Amino acid sequence: MHWRDIPADALAVLRRGAVIPAHLLALDAERQIDERRQRALTRYYLDAGAGGIAVGVHSTQFAIRDVGLYRPVLELAMQTALDWEPLGGRRPLFMVAGLAGRTEQALHEAEVARSLGYHGALLSLAALKGESEDVLVAHCSAVAEVMPLVGFYLQPAVGGLHLPMSFWQRFAAIDNVVAIKMAPFNRYRTLDVIRGVIAAGAEDRITLYTGNDDHIVLDLLAPFTFMRDGQPVTVRIHGGLLGHWSVWTQAAVQLLGRIHAAIDAGHATPDLLALDAQVTDCNSALFDVAHDFHGCIAGCHEVLRRQGLLAGTWCLDPAEGLSEGQAAELVRVQADYPHLVDDAFVAQHRARWLG
């Protein structure tokens, strides 16, 4: 499957820039999948206005592969998306499947994702830590033979590896790369990706997405201008594929709409710029920055538990949970930034999603 085979309306969603939540995993007290609540999460994201969903990614928990849930979770999300009539009617979606492991595993997962109808594959390189740049590029090229790639710069705190500008230039030169999610949580390394795409001359083919949950608003507002062959080239980050946006999703859709409108109008107002720090403060509670991201998935679960969409904060790994003080921090940011949460929206439609 080549990116030119992606339906034009779905590709247009990606290109324009969308809210793509990193889908969470609904478990019961026995740490078994709760299919009713898993479907409810997908329905929530679609009703909130998401332009797609990323499934099988870090927020879905990489360990789904160890317990035989990779295909079932991807299949459940896709089938729910196909069957559900969102508020406001059906609209095109760009669906992303997370891939992990070394080449044999990643190729198998790509075949699964392609067979289920996913449009792009978010490729984690964590399993190739310590390999040379040549090996990494060869791995990516092999997987790109199966389906379009969304590059993934994952932050080291949760298993990512350092990828220099030279890697990103070579990665961007792979013809079947359609987008890149930048999530190193590091400004220098984020710029390495953008410089690599420009150096490869791929900025018209590759759509940039922020995964920097600590810098969402300014990533989306700022133009990035670098030189190529003595001439300035300016690119933008058009959307977000974010764990942060797995909660408070309707508010995220509204925020991205404001950002797109400001860019179209040619200016960003001070109140919009001020939201960058507020969103980052929310993320510090969600992702448990105080404890080096230990509770980053459980924090998102806790928000959805309070909203009644999840029954608990259980993760596949019993050692993963809320850190000391994290629940109180979530109370604080929800009280401080009511304009960044969507509790009323969830309360209004929760019964419909769980039905």
Side-chain angles (χ1 to χ4, degrees), residues 71-207:
R71 184 185 183 100
V73 166
L74 263 65
E75 192 167 17
L76 183 59
M78 179 60 77
Q79 196 57 55
T80 302
L82 292 173
D83 292 344
W84 188 245
E85 182 77 23
L87 297 172
R90 293 188 181 276
R91 61 184 188 282
L93 301 170
F94 189 88
M95 299 291 286
V96 178
L99 309 185
R102 300 189 69 86
T103 305
E104 182 179 1
Q105 177 182 336
L107 287 171
H108 171 70
E109 292 184 2
E111 294 283 2
V112 170
R114 184 178 67 177
S115 72
L116 293 173
Y118 283 82
H119 303 117
L122 185 72
L123 183 60
S124 169
L125 300 177
L128 282 79
K129 189 170 292 185
E131 297 288 3
S132 69
E133 186 174 300
D134 287 345
V135 170
L136 295 176
V137 173
H139 171 78
C140 297
S141 297
V143 181
E145 292 293 318
V146 178
M147 67 183 299
L149 295 187
V150 178
F152 186 16
Y153 202 163
L154 177 66
Q155 63 152 324
V158 291
L161 57 156
H162 174 52
L163 299 165
M165 182 267 191
S166 58
F167 166 81
W168 290 109
Q169 182 174 354
R170 295 173 69 183
F171 179 82
I174 298 171
D175 179 61
N176 209 20
V177 174
V178 70
I180 298 175
K181 166 183 171 167
M182 300 171 291
F185 286 41
N186 180 298
R187 304 315 298 159
Y188 303 108
R189 294 178 181 180
T190 296
L191 298 185
D192 282 342
V193 180
I194 300 171
R195 289 176 55 233
V197 171
I198 290 174
E203 67 275 4
D204 291 333
R205 168 172 52 85
I206 295 176
T207 305

Side-chain angles (χ1 to χ4, degrees), residues 147-324:
M147 67 183 299
L149 295 187
V150 178
F152 186 16
Y153 202 163
L154 177 66
Q155 63 152 324
V158 291
L161 57 156
H162 174 52
L163 299 165
M165 182 267 191
S166 58
F167 166 81
W168 290 109
Q169 182 174 354
R170 295 173 69 183
F171 179 82
I174 298 171
D175 179 61
N176 209 20
V177 174
V178 70
I180 298 175
K181 166 183 171 167
M182 300 171 291
F185 286 41
N186 180 298
R187 304 315 298 159
Y188 303 108
R189 294 178 181 180
T190 296
L191 298 185
D192 282 342
V193 180
I194 300 171
R195 289 176 55 233
V197 171
I198 290 174
E203 67 275 4
D204 291 333
R205 168 172 52 85
I206 295 176
T207 305
L208 297 174
Y209 270 65
T210 183
N212 289 319
D213 303 72
D214 64 337
H215 208 68
I216 296 170
V217 175
L218 287 184
D219 265 7
L220 292 165
L221 280 171
F224 297 86
T225 301
F226 294 102
M227 303 300 289
R228 183 178 64 214
D229 299 329
Q231 298 296 319
V233 178
T234 299
V235 300
R236 286 189 176 272
I237 299 170
H238 291 281
L241 197 168
L242 294 155
H244 185 115
W245 284 353
S246 68
V247 302
W248 305 323
T249 309
Q250 190 212 31
V253 170
Q254 293 172 343
L255 174 61
L256 184 61
R258 289 185 61 189
I259 291 171
H260 282 171
I263 291 169
D264 292 344
H267 64 85
T269 57
D271 62 317
L272 188 56
L273 292 168
L275 288 177
D276 184 66
Q278 296 180 5
V279 172
T280 301
D281 193 23
C282 287
N283 186 257
S284 71
L286 273 178
F287 276 22
D288 191 27
V289 174
H291 299 92
D292 296 323
F293 303 97
H294 171 78
C296 61
I297 293 176
C300 296
H301 288 181
E302 174 64 6
V303 169
L304 295 170
R305 186 198 65 78
R306 293 177 186 182
Q307 291 181 327
L309 280 171
L310 293 186
T313 63
W314 306 290
C315 296
L316 289 170
D317 181 353
E320 289 191 46
L322 292 174
S323 293
E324 183 179 357

